[in-house]
Structures are given as C-alpha cells and as structure tokens.
Amino acid sequence: MDYSSDIKKFFKGEVYSDDKHLSDASHDASIFEVKPSLVVAPMDVFDLKNLVSFVTKQKAGGADISLTARSAGTDMSGGPLTESIVVDFLPHFDKFSGVSGFSATAEPGMYYRDF
C-alpha cells in the first residue's frame, strides 16, 4: 500500500516514492538488494514521533508496515534494507552534540569523517 499521501499530511521532511530514491535505498554495501515501498527523510524529532505513531496505528489495524533506519548505507549485512519504509537520516540528522567525559553524542546521519 502507498502511504505517501497520508504521511505527507503530517510530515515536514521529504517523502519519496520515485524510482530513483527507491532504487538508491534498495542496496547497501552488502550483496543484498531489497526495494522499499517508500523513503522518508525526517526533518526533526517531531517528524519521527509522528511517523512512529502513524506506523503504530497502521499496524494495530493489521497493516504490514515497518520503519527501517538508514544512514550512509555502508552496512555490509543488509541491515538498512526493507520492503516497507526506509527512514533516511542523512539529510537532516547530521549534527554533532558534543563531548562529555569519555562519550560523544552525534545524530545518526553524521558521517564518521565529519565526527
């Protein structure tokens, strides 16, 4: 099922269902290839919360829907691949929050080279 129009009603980030974005998200550094039904790039935490709520409601109604996080696609095990919705963190979740003691905090879309 195509959820793009429903998601666009509450989502500030980008929602993609075109062949290029779906093809780009259909592979990582592994040998696997799985084409998602949708790729979304949340603008902020509120987009994520609303997206999780939406998917939870759809699942409660019997829909076969899930969210799979993705950043640069360098995983070598097929981890960011799904037939459902890919959540692309690269465009907007790429900030460094800081260092405290022996730990550092960065958003999931930050490249290691920039960290």
Side-chain angles (χ1 to χ4, degrees):
M1 180 171 184
D2 184 7
Y3 294 103
S4 59
S5 60
D6 293 329
I7 292 173
K8 286 178 182 178
K9 292 176 185 173
F10 63 81
F11 206 73
K12 293 178 288 190
E14 297 82 29
V15 179
Y16 301 109
S17 58
D18 61 283
D19 286 337
K20 182 190 179 338
H21 284 92
L22 298 182
S23 177
D24 289 349
S26 69
H27 51 84
D28 59 1
S30 71
I31 61 171
F32 307 109
E33 185 170 330
V34 179
K35 187 175 181 180
S37 62
L38 201 61
V39 176
V40 298
M43 185 67 66
D44 54 29
V45 172
F46 298 107
D47 268 356
L48 282 175
K49 288 180 180 181
N50 291 332
L51 188 61
V52 169
S53 293
F54 173 79
V55 168
T56 301
K57 289 176 187 171
Q58 296 300 314
K59 288 182 79 70
D64 184 18
I65 184 174
S66 64
L67 299 172
T68 301
R70 180 184 179 94
S71 287
T74 57
D75 187 85
M76 297 179 73
S77 68
L81 307 181
T82 182
E83 291 180 338
S84 197
I85 300 173
V86 168
V87 181
D88 183 3
F89 285 101
L90 274 181
H92 306 293
F93 279 76
D94 59 352
K95 316 272 182 312
F96 177 71
S97 298
V99 176
S100 176
F102 289 102
S103 66
T105 305
E107 292 179 341
M110 176 171 245
Y111 283 107
Y112 180 72
R113 67 171 186 247
D114 298 331
F115 175 75

